[in-house]
């Protein structure tokens, strides 16, 4: 609770309200001097009259200057800003401790063991994949040789039958095509 009160005090605004017809530039320095004791985060001067060079709220020398008719709008902007700053402060609270904890974990034996276990499993998975890939390529090569033998034997059988029976046996177009494919394979 003491920390909340301290933060509340730090985020209190030092607001001075005037109802004059002319804006006096000396008010800015006076407000800043008054803030040396209060230590407010946001300084605001609200007045009916504005400096001659502007008509809307703005910051001048670190002090918000606001016309009386725009105080609601400026209040919403400042409130939003204060809420965001408070959120950042809460997030950053204990940041150094978290950094130290993270550094200690990353340099610990526990982290090293876990990381090595991940790498070992990855290597085992990779090795298994390569082993399976090589085995499948060997199997495919065996199948390819078997298919070539079957097709070659079918072509030989067709040729033998054509040699015996002559043209009385109808042509098997597929075998003629396969014969060309096998010749092409043999020439490779």
């Amino acid at each position: 609770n003491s920390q909340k009160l301290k933060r509340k005090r730090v985020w209190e605004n030092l607001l001075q309200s005037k109802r004059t017809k002319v804006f006096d530039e000396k008010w800015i320095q006076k407000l800043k001097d008054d803030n040396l004791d209060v230590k407010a985060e946001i300084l605001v001067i609200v007045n009916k009259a504005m400096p001659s060079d502007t008509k809307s709220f703005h910051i001048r020398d670190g002090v918000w200057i606001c016309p009386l008719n725009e105080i609601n709008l400026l209040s919403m902007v400042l409130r939003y800003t204060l809420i965001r700053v408070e959120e950042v402060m809460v997030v950053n609270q204990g940041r150094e401790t978290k950094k130290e904890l993270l550094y200690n974990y990353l340099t610990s034996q526990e982290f090293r063991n876990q990381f090595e276990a991940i790498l070992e499993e990855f290597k085992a998975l990779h090795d298994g994949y390569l082993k399976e890939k090589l085995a499948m390529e060997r199997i495919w090569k065996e199948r390819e040789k078997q298919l070539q033998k079957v097709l070659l034997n079918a072509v030989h059988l067709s040729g033998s039958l054509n040699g015996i029976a002559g043209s009385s046996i109808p042509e098997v177009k597929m075998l003629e095509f396969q014969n060309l494919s096998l010749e092409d394979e043999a020439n490779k």
Side-chain angles (χ1 to χ4, degrees):
N1 266 352
S2 65
Q3 196 170 21
K4 274 188 176 181
L5 289 173
K6 193 184 287 184
R7 274 199 308 244
K8 183 179 179 188
R9 188 174 164 270
V10 168
W11 290 109
E12 286 177 348
N13 303 328
L14 189 54
L15 178 77
Q16 286 191 358
S17 177
K18 313 273 187 198
R19 287 193 177 260
T20 63
K21 293 183 180 183
V22 178
F23 185 87
D24 189 346
E25 291 288 332
K26 295 178 194 170
W27 296 339
I28 296 173
Q29 188 57 49
K30 167 92 170 74
L31 185 60
K32 289 169 80 172
D33 291 343
D34 291 347
N35 190 43
L36 293 175
D37 293 330
V38 179
K39 296 182 176 44
E41 290 291 321
I42 299 174
L43 304 175
V44 181
I45 296 175
V46 179
N47 191 35
K48 203 174 193 181
M50 292 293 289
S52 59
D53 60 344
T54 186
K55 294 183 193 274
S56 184
F57 67 83
H58 64 284
I59 295 179
R60 183 173 293 190
D61 294 329
V63 176
W64 283 93
I65 313 282
C66 179
L68 194 58
N69 62 342
E70 291 182 357
I71 188 64
N72 288 339
L73 182 60
L74 179 61
S75 296
M76 287 189 299
V77 170
L78 294 178
R79 182 177 188 277
Y80 177 80
T81 303
L82 287 171
I83 290 169
R84 291 289 163 231
V85 169
E86 179 68 18
E87 287 173 355
V88 169
M89 285 177 63
V90 168
V91 166
N92 286 331
Q93 197 172 24
R95 184 180 215 151
E96 291 304 313
T97 304
K98 291 174 187 174
K99 280 182 187 178
E100 187 177 325
L101 289 171
L102 182 59
Y103 177 79
N104 289 339
Y105 174 70
L106 290 174
T107 57
S108 73
Q109 189 63 38
E110 177 187 2
F111 173 78
R112 180 183 176 144
N113 291 343
Q114 287 180 340
F115 195 69
E116 284 177 353
I118 291 169
L119 292 177
E120 286 170 7
E121 284 302 313
F122 175 76
K123 183 174 180 347
L125 185 62
H126 184 260
D127 291 349
Y129 164 77
L130 288 178
K131 192 175 180 179
E132 286 178 25
K133 182 180 175 184
L134 291 173
M136 289 307 296
E137 286 179 1
R138 182 182 53 78
I139 290 169
W140 291 337
K141 198 64 169 172
E142 287 175 11
R143 296 287 184 271
E144 188 179 336
K145 292 291 182 191
Q146 290 171 343
L147 286 170
Q148 285 178 354
K149 286 181 184 178
V150 168
L151 289 174
L152 189 57
N153 286 330
V155 169
H156 287 187
L157 177 62
S158 175
S160 296
L161 290 174
N162 281 339
I164 295 171
S167 60
S168 61
I169 295 182
E171 288 184 23
V172 179
K173 297 280 184 195
M174 185 183 250
L175 289 177
E176 289 177 13
F177 176 76
Q178 291 302 333
N179 195 13
L180 290 174
S181 295
L182 287 175
E183 288 174 7
D184 290 344
E185 286 292 323
N187 291 333
K188 285 185 180 177

